[in-house]
Amino acid sequence: MARLSLLSEPCQQQEQAKLLSCSENENEIRGIEAQLLLQTLFLVWVLIFTARMAAANGTAALSMGFAESIWESMLSSHTKWEVATYGSVLVHELVYFGLCLPGLLCQFIPWAQKFKIQQDKPETFSKQWQCFKLLMFNHFCIQMPMIGGVFMFTEYMGTPYDWKSMPTWYDTLARCLLCLAIEDTWHYFLHRALHDRRIYKHIHKVHHHFQAPFGMVAEYAHPAETIILGAGFFIGVLCFCNHLVFLWSWMSVRLLETIDVHSGYDLPLNPLHLIPGYAGARYHDFHHKNFNGNYGSSFIWWDWLFGTDHEYKEFQKRQADEKVN
């Protein structure tokens, strides 16, 4: 009987460990579900707010296009400072968390898991909550003051807000692609400099806390890095901004790109891969896993030119050899 009791003790311990693990997993899932619910409610609120604006201006919509009526209503009911400042903050938050939402949902979809790049490192609520807290600080204490300068910039440059001056979609798209190339150049050299051993531990190490990135990690960074690398965004604005809507479009394109490369998923039929030289999630995921190389943000050109992608190429070769064998 004593031997049976001794044998049963390890089994009981294993059962208790399993129950504890299940409890922790359930808590993580509940936490992630709560986070998803908050983001969904925020998106619903924005949609309701937009619908109310449209309803209030229904008479004008009969004589003008729907989009034009909304735009003109916004300009007539708010000052230029309010449009430039509050509008830019709203666009940034809505686009950022709206684009992060699909990646958060992917972790609950079994079909999507086969496209996860580092399958041995799943997302957890504790990591996402840690990321979210620093994001809120960066968004509202670092980026918001920078966004606050939008109005002063547009006033100084004489940037139009009105509907008649609105650029065409293809003009805006072309300017955004040029901005991507400029930002990528800035990002490559400054990002590579932040990997210098004398600087890395003080600034860029914060961003590399997550070796297996997920969408929200895109702007998880030391405040100094937010300013240093974020400056590349404004170079394109200085060169190509011809309307407030261009600034918002370029902001959305840049957020789409950086959230995609940090998503941790290499989903099929990604339209961004139609852009020549686009880096993508696998390319940047390797940078987080390996810490060195692949310094470009949007494109592979500078890494190819300076040979800082050689470790990634060796990694790809090893993977190809393993598949053959």
Side-chain angles (χ1 to χ4, degrees):
M1 291 294 291
R3 287 189 64 186
L4 287 172
S5 177
L6 288 171
L7 288 170
S8 65
E9 284 181 7
C11 295
Q12 290 174 355
Q13 290 174 357
Q14 289 177 1
E15 288 298 322
Q16 289 174 353
K18 286 180 181 179
L19 289 171
L20 182 62
S21 176
C22 289
S23 177
E24 289 174 350
N25 289 336
E26 286 176 2
N27 289 335
E28 285 184 359
I29 290 170
R30 286 173 184 169
I32 293 170
E33 287 174 345
Q35 189 174 341
L36 288 171
L37 178 62
L38 287 173
Q39 290 188 353
T40 303
L41 289 173
F42 176 71
L43 292 173
V44 169
W45 176 84
V46 171
L47 289 172
I48 293 171
F49 177 77
T50 305
R52 289 186 66 184
M53 283 184 64
N57 204 44
T59 305
L62 295 174
S63 57
M64 295 187 294
F66 177 75
E68 183 179 355
S69 68
I70 292 294
W71 188 266
E72 292 297 339
S73 175
M74 178 182 68
L75 293 180
S76 63
S77 57
H78 299 281
T79 65
K80 290 178 72 175
W81 182 87
E82 289 174 336
V83 172
T85 305
Y86 299 147
S88 297
V89 170
L90 182 62
V91 168
H92 181 272
E93 296 306 302
L94 178 62
V95 172
Y96 189 85
F97 288 107
L99 291 174
C100 286
L101 190 59
L104 285 170
L105 292 173
C106 276
Q107 62 191 307
F108 300 109
I109 304 172
W111 171 83
Q113 292 310 300
K114 62 183 177 182
F115 302 110
K116 182 167 174 58
I117 299 166
Q118 297 189 54
Q119 296 189 6
D120 59 328
K121 296 176 181 176
E123 300 94 336
T124 63
F125 174 69
S126 59
K127 290 179 181 178
Q128 291 170 336
W129 178 242
Q130 178 186 353
C131 181
F132 183 77
K133 287 187 292 184
L134 183 59
L135 276 180
M136 289 298 96
F137 175 81
N138 281 345
H139 281 193
F140 293 103
C141 298
I142 306 298
Q143 292 180 349
M144 188 176 284
M146 295 171 72
I147 291 174
V150 168
F151 171 72
M152 292 183 287
F153 168 79
T154 57
E155 285 293 289
Y156 179 77
M157 299 296 289
T159 305
Y161 287 51
D162 63 293
W163 181 266
K164 290 182 180 179
S165 303
M166 191 86 69
T168 59
W169 68 267
Y170 47 85
D171 177 84
T172 301
L173 178 61
R175 289 169 186 265
C176 286
L177 290 174
L178 290 170
C179 285
L180 273 177
I182 292 171
E183 191 281 332
D184 183 71
T185 302
W186 175 271
H187 190 100
Y188 175 84
F189 290 104
L190 272 294
H191 182 196
R192 188 173 176 182
L194 289 175
H195 273 267
D196 185 283
R197 291 181 180 180
R198 295 164 294 182
I199 304 172
Y200 175 81
K201 63 182 179 180
H202 301 294
I203 300 176
H204 194 51
K205 186 178 180 180
V206 174
H207 184 66
H208 274 276
H209 175 77
F210 298 101
Q211 288 182 266
F214 46 90
M216 281 197 297
V217 174
E219 291 187 345
Y220 181 89
H222 190 284
E225 180 177 340
T226 300
I227 296 169
I228 293 167
L229 295 185
F233 171 86
F234 294 100
I235 298 174
V237 175
L238 285 168
C239 295
F240 299 112
C241 189
N242 60 349
H243 197 281
L244 179 66
V245 79
F246 162 77
L247 195 151
W248 290 351
S249 299
W250 164 223
M251 182 189 296
S252 302
V253 168
R254 176 68 180 116
L255 290 175
L256 172 64
E257 178 275 325
T258 191
I259 290 169
D260 175 59
V261 301
H262 285 93
S263 67
Y265 289 85
D266 187 18
L267 296 173
L269 304 176
N270 186 338
L272 292 175
H273 286 284
L274 297 174
I275 303 172
Y278 181 68
R282 283 193 179 275
Y283 193 84
H284 193 71
D285 199 276
F286 178 79
H287 174 77
H288 275 260
K289 181 180 179 180
N290 192 60
F291 291 100
N292 294 311
N294 292 14
Y295 297 113
S297 60
S298 305
F299 302 107
I300 63 173
W301 303 327
W302 291 111
D303 283 298
W304 170 79
L305 185 63
F306 288 98
T308 47
D309 60 351
H310 70 279
E311 291 185 33
Y312 178 62
K313 289 178 178 177
E314 290 172 1
F315 172 72
Q316 285 183 309
K317 187 177 183 301
R318 288 197 302 271
Q319 280 193 319
D321 291 340
E322 287 174 4
K323 286 182 179 180
V324 171
N325 297 330

